[in-house]
Structure formats: C-alpha cells, structure tokens
Amino acid sequence: MLKKTMSAAAALAVGSLALTACGGTSSGSDDAAGGSGGGDDTITMGFAQVGAESGWRTANTQSVKDSAEEAGVELLFSDAQQKQENQIKAIRSYIQQDVDVIAFSPVVETGWDAVLLEAKRASIPVILTDRAVDSEDDSLYETFLGSDFVLEGERAGEWLVENAEDSDVNGDGSINVVQLEGTTGAAPAIDRAEGFADTIASDGSIEVVASQTGDFTRDGGKRVMESFLNSEDDIDVVYAHNDDMGLGAIEAIEAAGLTPGEDIKIITVDAVKDGMQALVDGKINYIVECNPLLGPQLMDLAEQVVAGEEVEPRVVTEETTFTQEEAAEVIDERQY
Ligand code: GZL
C-alpha cells in the first residue's frame, strides 16, 4: 500500500525509504472491491458512501467500484444508510487502517470538521465527491468533485419560467408549485432549492405553495405528494430534487385519478434511466441532469493527491438538460 506521508519533493528525496516503510495491509470493511491485492504501489482508498437511496446513488456507487477496478485501486467501501454517524465511523475506520486516501459524499453539509481533522493529522488526504461540506477550514480536504447544484436548480426554474403559460393548468394566471426537497441539510437539497427560488422570482405568477423533504427516495416522494394532494387546492407543478421522488409523486398523482405530465407538470433532477423513461412517456416534463459517473475523475484525483501533486480545489462535472423529445433521442444510449 502506497502511503502519502510527505510532499512530492520530500517523497523524491526519500522515495525508496518511504515506499519500503509504507508496507502495511488493508482489510476490507463493509466491502472490498477492485485493486491488485495490496501490492506496495497499490493505492488503497476508503470510500464512505451516503447509502443506496436512489437510482442516482446506485449508479454512482457502480461508477466508483468499476473505476477502482479499472485503475487498480484497492477500494474499501461502506454504505452509511444515509446516516452521518455511520459515515463518520467509516472514515475513522479508514484512518485506523491507514489507507492512502479517503473519499466520501457527505450526507449533510455540516458536522465533519472533527473527523476530517483526524484524517489530516493522520496525513491521509480526503476527496469530497458528489456533495460538499460547509466548513470554514478548506484545508481539511484536497478537492470537491461534483455538480453545481445551484445551477441545476436554476435550470429547473428557467424551464418553468419559459413554459409558465403551459404550466398554468387551470388557467387562473397563477402557477402553484409544490417542492419535494432532498435530504434536509444536504448540499443538493439546499442548493437546488436556492437556484430554483432565485430563478422563478423573475415571474410573479409562479409561487412555491408547499415544500417538504422526501429524503431523495421514491417512497418519500410518494408520501409527501399524497399529503400535498390532500392539503393543496390547486397544484400546477411538482419540482422534485431528484427523479426518484418525482417517480413517487407520479404514483400518488395517478392514484388520485390525475394525469402526471398533463394535469400536473413535473420537473426533476438526475436523469437516471427510470426518470428518463417517465420523461419519454410524458409523465415528467423536464429533467435537469446530475451526472453520477464520477468514478474515473475520482481515481485520477486520488492518484494525484497520493503522489503529492496539487489539484484544482473544485472539479465540476459536465451535465445538461432534457425535454421529452430530447430524452427520446438519447435514452437507448445512456449509461445509467
Ligand atoms: C446529487 C446527489 C443526490 C441525487 C439523488 O449529486 O447527491 O443524491 O440527486 C441522490 O438522487 O440521492
């Protein structure tokens, strides 16, 4: 196991000693995948995943595991079931196992400084993937690899502003939006709400009349949408922070005898296969893509930070948007 214990310059000076001294073994925690079995030059990565709450997360996990295998990185993997305390435990176990690099997607933005300081004191570099942390101390991690969630919310809002007239289903001049929020305190939930709100503010006829977390799950989206259908008289649009909650909302809307995509317009974020299929089927009206395939970039970044190279503090992923027509053109070739 290659252990980064010094800067690149220092490593050059004592390369043979550092490589020899590193030795050590790494045993899998919840899951060990990929890699060449812990040879001296094999990078060992501890990855603390959020959970398995959505199609996006499943695709993200697969991308990380496949890319580790491809890059010859020995991967220690844990699933926190969306609980911060489980992610912190996993990170601490990786520190104890003296891995070469730690990567994780923080389930919420706050509460990480203590454990990240422990990693820093153990000279183990940390890469944030997918979600960011809200910390005063940006020396606690090497870089953040992931989407611009505020931009995703803005893109959702832009579509609604551009399609306001068609979205005023009952023609009363007001467009009532119900919002299915992601996990409370999670960066994508906070930022997607912010970007959307800032953008629709340009059109006084659009109003978010109800907003509640569905925790990024299909069941959560269905449950919250059922309550909105009972409490709100006139819903024109659903804005769901991910496809899975949008798909749950579709179930609730259909159970209420309404036609999703027509009686109630639906805008979601992610563009996973099930969401794209609902878009093609006309049950969703617009999807803002959030790319889960972060594995290749993560492994490249890991090799750089373990080698002591400087990396960009922020690596943004490329992503786009889809209308129903655009989804029909690409759905068969998509990777997730
Ligand atoms: C976004 C990611 C979110 C997805 C959800 O990068 O953190 O978490 O949008 C997933 O589907 O649960």
Side-chain angles (χ1 to χ4, degrees), residues 147-220:
S147 305
D148 180 341
F149 303 129
V150 173
L151 176 61
E152 292 171 347
E154 291 169 348
R155 286 173 167 170
E158 284 161 9
W159 181 89
L160 184 53
V161 170
E162 288 161 15
N163 294 271
E165 197 170 334
D166 290 345
S167 301
D168 178 11
V169 176
N170 66 4
D172 63 359
S174 65
I175 297 149
N176 295 332
V177 181
V178 293
Q179 181 171 230
L180 299 174
E181 301 169 15
T183 301
T184 302
I190 294 167
D191 292 353
R192 285 171 186 167
E194 176 190 323
F196 184 78
D198 290 350
T199 304
I200 64 170
S202 64
D203 181 332
S205 69
I206 303 173
E207 181 187 2
V208 176
V209 296
S211 187
Q212 189 178 326
T213 182
D215 210 18
F216 282 130
T217 66
R218 199 174 292 207
D219 288 346

Side-chain angles (χ1 to χ4, degrees), residues 53-54 56-57 130-131 149 188 192 216 242 270 290:
E53 73 281 0
S54 62
W56 190 99
R57 190 65 55 196
D130 170 31
R131 298 183 185 178
F149 303 129
R192 285 171 186 167
F216 282 130
N242 79 332
D270 276 351
C290 178

Side-chain angles (χ1 to χ4, degrees), residues 45-100:
M45 172 186 286
F47 191 93
Q49 182 59 293
V50 168
E53 73 281 0
S54 62
W56 190 99
R57 190 65 55 196
T58 303
N60 177 248
T61 290
Q62 201 56 55
S63 174
V64 169
K65 289 184 174 178
D66 291 348
S67 300
E69 184 85 26
E70 178 73 22
V73 169
E74 184 163 2
L75 184 70
L76 307 182
F77 181 90
S78 60
D79 170 337
Q81 287 90 44
Q82 288 190 279
K83 293 182 174 60
Q84 181 174 32
E85 62 268 23
N86 290 345
Q87 282 193 296
I88 291 173
K89 282 179 193 160
I91 291 169
R92 288 202 164 111
S93 80
Y94 298 147
I95 294 169
Q96 284 162 1
Q97 296 178 71
D98 198 21
V99 297
D100 296 304

